Amino acid sequence: QVQLVQSGSELKNPGASVKVSCKASGYILSHYAMNWVRQAPGQGLEWMGWIDTNTGDPTYAQGFTGRFVFSLDTSVSTTYLQINSLKAEDTAVYYCAREQGGPMVRQNWFDPWGQGTLVTVSS
Amino acid sequence: QSVLTQPPSASGTPGQRVTISCSGSSSNIGRNTVNWYQQLPGTAPKLLIYSHHQRPSGVPDRFFGSKSGASASLAISGLQSEDEADYHCASWDDSLNSWVFGGGTRVTVL
C-alpha cells in the first residue's frame, strides 16, 4: 500500500543542522509532488512548501526561505528536509505529505501523510 | 494567525450531530477546493474530505463536507467516541501562492 515513512525524532542544539527523511513506498516517487508541513507544539498545521519530484525543484513558502532545504534521492524513493542554523522556535513535528489530484494545484489534496518527525531544539 | 478561520473547539454527546465551520476569502475557499484532515490524538493528519465533499475509501458517510461562497463546513452525524480528534480545513490560496490551513477544531465527545 502507499506509505510514507519518516525518520525518527531528533534532539539538536541551537545552531546545528538536522535532516529529516521521508521514504515513499507503494508508488513511483516521481509521479507525485511532495509537500512539507510543520506543526509547532499545540498549534495548527503550516505549509512549508513542496518539491517537484520529477525535476527536484523546490518551492518554499513564505517564512521558510534561507534555512530550509528540500531535496530528494529517487534511487531510494526518499525526499529530505534539511533545516540549518536551528533555533528554539524550530521545535515542531514535521510531516511530509504526497500531493494528489491533477495538474491544477487548486484542485488537489494531501494523501497520505508521513507519521511525522519531532525535532526538538534545546541546549 | 491562520488564514482560514475555524472555531477552536466543538463538542457533542454520542449520536449527536456536530458541525465545524471554516471561513476563508475569495482568494482561497471562494475559488478553490476545500479539504479536511482528521488528526487523532498523537497521530499524523489523515485525509477525511477532499474537493469539498468527496470521501476517500474507508471514511464513513457520517462525515459530510460542504461549501458555500468563501466558507466551508464539516458535519459529523451520529457522533462516536472515536471521532474525538482535531479537524483541519485547507485550501489553496491564489494570492499567497500557498496552501493555507485553519487553526484546527478539537472535537470532544461528552
Side-chain angles (χ1 to χ4, degrees), chain A residues 95, chain B residues 38-44 81-87 106-107:
Chain A
Y95 296 101
Chain B
Q38 178 192 55
Q39 186 173 27
L40 296 170
T43 70
S81 58
E82 67 216 49
D83 299 333
E84 278 209 339
D86 292 331
Y87 293 85
R106 177 152 297 175
V107 168

Side-chain angles (χ1 to χ4, degrees), chain A residues 19-39:
Chain A
K19 194 168 187 176
V20 176
S21 67
C22 169
K23 184 172 176 61
S25 61
Y27 75 99
I28 298 172
L29 181 68
S30 60
H31 285 189
Y32 298 87
M34 191 70 76
N35 290 259
W36 288 92
V37 177
R38 180 172 79 177
Q39 187 170 35

Side-chain angles (χ1 to χ4, degrees), chain A residues 30-67:
Chain A
S30 60
H31 285 189
Y32 298 87
M34 191 70 76
N35 290 259
W36 288 92
V37 177
R38 180 172 79 177
Q39 187 170 35
Q43 302 299 307
L45 302 173
E46 189 176 16
W47 183 67
M48 301 174 65
W50 68 287
I51 185 165
D52 184 327
T53 51
N54 253 316
T55 64
D57 286 340
T59 298
Y60 302 99
Q62 222 170 4
F64 294 98
T65 55
R67 298 189 298 116

Side-chain angles (χ1 to χ4, degrees), chain A residues 35 37 39 43-47 50 59 61-62 95 99-100 105-116, chain B residues 31-33 35 37 39 43-47 50-51 56 86 88 92 94 96-104:
Chain A
N35 290 259
V37 177
Q39 187 170 35
Q43 302 299 307
L45 302 173
E46 189 176 16
W47 183 67
W50 68 287
T59 298
Q62 222 170 4
Y95 296 101
E99 184 165 329
Q100 256 202 292
V105 64
R106 61 183 59 184
Q107 297 174 347
N108 293 346
W109 56 92
F110 296 164
D111 183 49
W113 295 58
Q115 85 276 19
Chain B
R31 66 177 71 177
N32 300 321
T33 61
N35 306 314
Y37 301 95
Q39 186 173 27
T43 70
K46 185 191 91 167
L47 180 67
Y50 66 98
S51 299
D86 292 331
H88 308 270
W92 176 259
D94 288 337
L96 297 174
N97 254 337
S98 168
W99 283 101
V100 292
F101 290 91

